[in-house]
Amino acid sequence: MDIETALLAKNDHLAGHNRAWLAERGIVALNLMSSPGSGKTSLLARTIAELTPSRPVSVIEGDQETRIDAERIRSTGAPVVQINTGAGCHLDADMLARGLAELRPPDGSLVFVENVGNLVCPALFDLGEAARIVVVSVTEGEDKPLKYPQMFSVADLVLINKVDLLPYVDVQLPRLVAHCRAVRPGVRVLPLSVTTGEGMAAWCDWLLTCDPVRR
């Protein structure tokens, strides 16, 4: 067994423990992945504001350095734990386990895991999450699903953010959706704008029906 295979096998074992721990408590953990600048943190801040009356929400923030995003989330009133990976380009199952131990989310709650901004490494590491959500903004162009197929191939949901900017960029929304589904046939795609609120209701509806165990 080579080093990469052994590393992933150990991670998958730990992810299984996380998944069982979360399922026993009815906690839905969602792995939010994207490139830097897609709008993940802004999306989370608005989502927390809209969901909090319906369901407790907490966040585990992954970044190489700083607590900037964690402080933005803390300002919403949601509990948050920051995990800094240093030179690491992703979160793994052990990091999530340690984050959950510190966060102590209540039973039946929703935990967002904002992964390190990167369209490569996070796709390889199961955390024990209920679903993997990939955020892509229209300002990144139409080709990201084709250039980074591993990431989009593991998505349970793709959010296309910043659709309010479509009149100003050379992107055709139907083509971007088609590219997502070329990599992950049948994947649900939700266009939205954190700025205007377009599509947020459909996103929140999806969240409130998400199961604790990965489908």
Side-chain angles (χ1 to χ4, degrees):
M1 181 180 292
D2 61 33
I3 293 175
E4 182 179 355
T5 301
L7 177 65
L8 290 174
K10 179 181 179 182
N11 181 81
D12 289 347
H13 179 72
L14 293 171
H17 282 287
N18 288 346
R19 186 167 285 111
W21 187 91
L22 291 161
E24 286 171 7
R25 292 159 178 78
I27 299 170
V28 176
L30 301 171
N31 187 358
L32 205 61
M33 302 180 288
S34 78
S35 61
S38 68
K40 291 194 303 299
T41 310
S42 297
L43 172 68
L44 283 180
R46 182 153 189 163
T47 302
I48 290 165
E50 299 197 14
L51 275 186
T52 299
S54 305
R55 190 170 196 176
V57 179
S58 52
V59 178
I60 293 175
E61 278 289 343
D63 271 309
Q64 289 188 316
E65 299 291 347
T66 82
R67 298 181 56 84
I68 293 171
D69 288 349
E71 293 307 320
R72 284 187 66 189
I73 296 301
R74 197 180 308 282
S75 71
T76 69
V80 59
V81 168
Q82 177 72 54
I83 297 176
N84 290 127
T85 62
C89 56
H90 61 274
L91 297 178
D92 61 26
D94 181 59
M95 292 175 188
L96 177 60
R98 288 186 276 118
L100 290 169
E102 182 178 348
L103 190 63
R104 292 183 291 180
D107 292 0
S109 63
L110 189 65
V111 176
F112 287 104
V113 183
E114 184 175 353
N115 219 312
V116 179
N118 184 338
L119 283 178
V120 182
C121 306
L124 300 175
F125 287 82
D126 184 8
L127 304 181
E129 68 276 271
R132 296 177 179 182
I133 300 154
V134 177
V135 183
V136 60
S137 66
V138 300
T139 54
E140 296 173 65
E142 300 167 355
D143 58 1
K144 290 301 176 289
L146 304 180
K147 286 186 172 182
Y148 300 93
Q150 179 68 33
M151 175 61 74
F152 287 84
S153 71
V154 301
D156 296 294
L157 175 72
V158 177
L159 299 179
I160 299 179
N161 191 20
K162 305 184 184 181
V163 294
D164 53 302
L165 298 180
L166 278 169
Y168 311 104
V169 295
D170 185 21
V171 169
Q172 297 297 316
L173 185 59
R175 271 208 299 258
L176 178 51
V177 173
H179 289 161
C180 291
R181 290 179 176 152
V183 174
R184 176 77 159 169
V187 70
R188 185 166 184 189
V189 180
L190 293 180
L192 56 78
S193 167
V194 175
T195 301
T196 67
E198 178 183 349
M200 288 297 298
W203 161 234
C204 289
D205 287 346
W206 186 90
L207 289 170
L208 292 173
T209 59
C210 200
D211 297 324
V213 180
R214 186 172 170 86
R215 292 158 289 174

